[in-house]
Amino acid sequence: MMSDRVPPGVSAAVPNVARMYDYYLGGKDNFASDREAAEKVLSIIPEIRGDARNSRAFLQRAVRHLRQEGVDQYLDIGSGLPTAGHVHEVIEGAKVVYVDNDSVVLTHSRALLGHSPDVTVQEGDLRRPEAVVERAAQVLDFSRPVALLVVSLLHFVTDEEDPVGIVHRYRDLLPAGSHLVLTHVAPDTMPSKADDVSAVYRNATSPFTARRRSVFEALMEGFDLLEPGIVNTREWRPDRDTDPSPIQGDYHLCAVGRKPA
Ligand SMILES: C[S@@+](CC[C@H](N)C(=O)[O-])C[C@H]1O[C@@H](n2cnc3c(N)ncnc32)[C@H](O)[C@@H]1O
């Protein structure tokens, strides 16, 4: 996509949240409108690149930890463009289902990941839990624990769409012993800037809503939190061996929880 040649059926005119995120992470799968909007966000929060990297580093530590604990099935919703360090690249011997609702993400993911027998790419919308789980169950065994990843995604779900209700629905559909790996941008950590960032995303494919810690706590209700609980991404079990050198920008709250028996 470096040539900005637009594949059929794809709108390059509207800034796209997946491709803006790819731009923050240094990827090449983005168009001029994505870069322009992403640059506006960068002018408000230059550390957004670091924030994206720190969130992805958390995701990687979380799945490595869960893999060590024996979890061998992963459902990654809003998986994004496979810029670097996707779940199946950092763990081995596990089945991974990537779900996204963006046609560019799906095309790229299928092209890059489709040949691995343990990796499946599915179209799906986080806001339709039953449909997502039903489709994923064609590949994953929902009579055994599954790790559900909802990373850097829920702030693209509006209040009217009831993000807490959506996450609780997944919780109810998951078997006991399953895990939820969650991050969410919190205005508590960027109080004066969240509204300016929301204004840029109003013209993008999804609006952006930062949410306070109290909402994050509600999202994790019904899960037993793994140590260290709800923290900013850099504080969740940092690992000097695998983490990138410390980067400024950490606006996501994160947690890993386990559904009890
Ligand atoms: C900021 S990216 C995060 C990517 C990845 N999870 C990560 O943490 O690096 C958000 C992703 O969620 C996808 N997305 C947005 N709304 C969605 C929805 N309702 N259902 C499924 N995917 C969605 C976007 O297409 C994009 O790929």
Side-chain angles (χ1 to χ4, degrees):
M1 219 186 290
M2 274 194 294
S3 64
D4 273 11
R5 200 167 47 81
V6 183
V10 168
S11 167
V14 179
N16 172 293
V17 299
R19 301 190 308 246
M20 287 171 68
Y21 195 70
D22 174 71
Y23 184 73
Y24 302 145
L25 285 169
K28 303 269 183 262
D29 296 322
N30 44 74
F31 299 124
S33 66
D34 309 314
R35 295 191 284 273
E36 204 178 297
E39 283 295 344
K40 277 190 199 152
V41 175
L42 282 161
S43 71
I44 302 163
I45 310 182
E47 302 84 12
I48 200 91
R49 286 186 196 282
D51 177 58
R53 293 221 162 91
N54 283 320
S55 174
R56 274 216 73 85
F58 156 74
L59 164 69
Q60 293 164 1
R61 290 196 301 279
V63 296
R64 265 191 220 105
H65 172 76
L66 293 179
R67 186 69 196 102
Q68 276 164 15
E69 295 293 304
V71 178
D72 63 357
Q73 310 193 88
Y74 294 79
L75 175 56
D76 184 1
I77 307 181
S79 47
L81 287 157
T83 312
H86 248 37
V87 174
H88 73 286
E89 293 175 298
V90 295
I91 54 171
E92 285 181 358
K95 277 205 182 331
V96 182
V97 173
Y98 293 116
V99 175
D100 209 288
N101 69 347
D102 182 274
S103 56
V104 172
V105 169
L106 293 166
T107 306
H108 274 250
S109 301
R110 288 195 177 113
L112 288 172
L113 316 170
H115 37 264
S116 162
D118 288 332
V119 178
T120 308
V121 179
Q122 297 181 340
E123 181 171 11
D125 192 313
L126 174 82
R127 296 164 295 187
R128 300 188 57 214
E130 282 77 10
V132 168
V133 168
E134 193 182 320
R135 192 140 190 226
Q138 293 168 5
V139 181
L140 304 177
D141 175 2
F142 273 78
S143 68
R144 296 195 299 110
V146 172
L148 171 65
L149 317 180
V150 182
V151 177
S152 209
L153 165 56
L154 263 190
H155 35 251
F156 297 122
V157 173
T158 63
D159 287 341
E160 293 70 36
E161 291 166 334
D162 187 16
V164 174
I166 291 171
V167 169
H168 289 182
R169 187 70 196 119
Y170 282 99
R171 178 196 65 201
D172 295 345
L173 290 167
L174 290 170
S178 291
H179 289 84
L180 171 64
V181 177
L182 184 69
T183 77
H184 199 304
V185 173
D188 318 50
T189 52
M190 47 186 274
S192 61
K193 297 174 175 175
D195 289 347
D196 298 341
V197 173
S198 297
V200 179
Y201 276 96
R202 259 198 288 283
N203 299 317
T205 45
S206 301
F208 166 88
T209 311
R211 295 190 175 91
R212 300 203 164 277
R213 187 186 169 91
S214 54
V215 179
F216 198 100
E217 287 165 358
L219 290 163
M220 294 304 298
E221 256 168 38
F223 290 94
D224 294 338
L225 295 180
L226 272 53
E227 288 295 329
I230 300 171
V231 291
N232 279 90
T233 53
R234 271 192 305 212
E235 294 158 11
W236 199 92
R237 303 183 186 221
D239 181 343
R240 262 191 291 165
D241 291 339
T242 58
D243 284 346
S245 44
I247 320 168
Q248 273 204 322
D250 194 1
Y251 304 123
H252 284 77
L253 287 176
C254 72
V256 181
R258 183 175 185 277
K259 178 173 171 173

